Structures are given as structure tokens and as C-alpha cells.
Amino acid sequence: ILVVGYMFSRLPGLTNKVLIATGKTKILMYTSLGTAVLNVVLNLILIPNYGFVGAAIATAGARVLNNIVQSYIIMKKQKIHPFNREYIIPTALIGAVICTIYFLPVSLDKFGFFVGVIISIGLGLLYISFLLLTQSIYDVEAKLADALLERIGLPGYASIVLRPFIR
């Protein structure tokens, strides 16, 4: 629950850093204070009935709402929009896959750590394939991959291999 909440709260990017960089630190303070108050209130409501699951829901929900509010403020005041087609489509596709896995009639807590690692690697590879299929890779990202490969001692051919997938 916490991982999904934090994942969704990070979708628009580092909104708090944008607010700091643009001098909107008071807005950041107010949204952070509001998040803290909301988190406490939700914890008081949810923990008695749902225990630690309620606490996780409260924390994740407060974080997501915090980032939604900060994103809205950034869009209104700075005219900066964090989403584009190259970001939304592969993210929505992998989100649909994760939701499908979650709602399968199989209890995921029966699997051990090793299976969890295998599933995570599989989801990562699936996300990369979604990036490739939707041509959601930029030239600068291919160049970064080249630099990373060269840094670890491998030939940097990523930009050549990724050329058909670069938008």
C-alpha cells in the first residue's frame, strides 16, 4: 500500500523541489502542514478499524493528495505541466498490468521473496518494453545509457540500438 501510494505521489515528479526552485517555499510549507494534519486525522479514523493497513492507507493517501495539490499549484502559477504522452502511456500500461496482478484470484502473500524478485524484474522488463513500443525514449536518455555502459566498461551502443525507438 505504501509503495503504491509513494509511486503515485512521485508520478508528477519532484514537485517540492520545483516549489523551492521557484521561490514558493510558503506554499510548500502550507501543503506539507496540510499533509501532516490530513495524515494524523486519517490515522485516527482508520487505525482503530484497520490497524496497520489503515495507517498505510492514511499515509499513502495523504502523500498522493499532497503531490496532487502541489502539481496543481505548479500548473497554475508556473504553467509547468509534468505529464506528456511519452510519460503517461507506458506508465498507464504498467499500472494496468500491476492492477491486474493485484486483483488476480491468487493470494500474492503465498509467494516467497525469490518469486517477488522475479516478478519485479519481469515488471521492470515489461515497462522497458512499453517504453520501446510507445517510442517514449528521448535521444538524451539513449546518450545517458551509452555513458553508463562506457562507465562500466561495456561498449556504448545503446543509442544505435535504441534509434528506432527514439521519438
Side-chain angles (χ1 to χ4, degrees):
I1 294 169
L2 286 173
V3 168
V4 171
Y6 275 90
M7 181 184 76
F8 279 107
S9 76
R10 288 286 129 215
L11 285 178
L14 301 173
T15 54
N16 56 346
K17 303 292 186 217
V18 172
L19 290 172
I20 290 170
T22 57
K24 305 294 182 200
T25 53
K26 277 190 179 179
I27 291 173
L28 179 60
M29 178 187 68
Y30 293 135
T31 58
S32 297
L33 181 63
T35 300
V37 169
L38 178 65
N39 194 9
V40 169
V41 169
L42 288 175
N43 274 299
L44 290 173
I45 293 169
L46 296 175
I47 288 176
N49 293 325
Y50 301 104
F52 67 89
V53 173
I57 291 169
T59 301
R63 289 294 311 147
V64 168
L65 186 61
N66 177 35
N67 234 318
I68 289 171
V69 169
Q70 288 179 358
S71 295
Y72 177 77
I73 291 168
I74 291 168
M75 285 190 305
K76 284 295 185 188
K77 295 205 178 281
Q78 304 299 322
K79 308 291 187 240
I80 299 172
H81 194 281
F83 302 115
N84 60 22
R85 176 196 170 285
E86 290 80 14
Y87 181 75
I88 292 174
I89 293 175
T91 303
L93 289 171
I94 199 68
V97 170
I98 291 170
C99 287
T100 302
I101 291 170
Y102 180 77
F103 289 112
L104 285 175
V106 177
S107 179
L108 296 177
D109 59 351
K110 291 182 182 178
F111 298 108
F113 176 77
F114 182 71
V115 173
V117 169
I118 297 298
I119 291 172
S120 297
I121 291 170
L123 287 172
L125 293 173
L126 186 61
Y127 183 69
I128 290 170
S129 69
F130 288 154
L131 289 173
L132 297 174
L133 291 172
T134 59
Q135 293 183 320
S136 297
I137 298 173
Y138 291 100
D139 190 48
V140 68
E141 293 167 327
K143 288 177 184 173
L144 285 171
D146 282 341
L148 175 66
L149 289 171
E150 288 172 6
R151 185 163 181 115
I152 61 174
L154 298 172
Y157 298 123
S159 58
I160 295 169
V161 173
L162 294 174
R163 180 69 45 215
F165 305 105
I166 294 174
R167 181 164 294 273

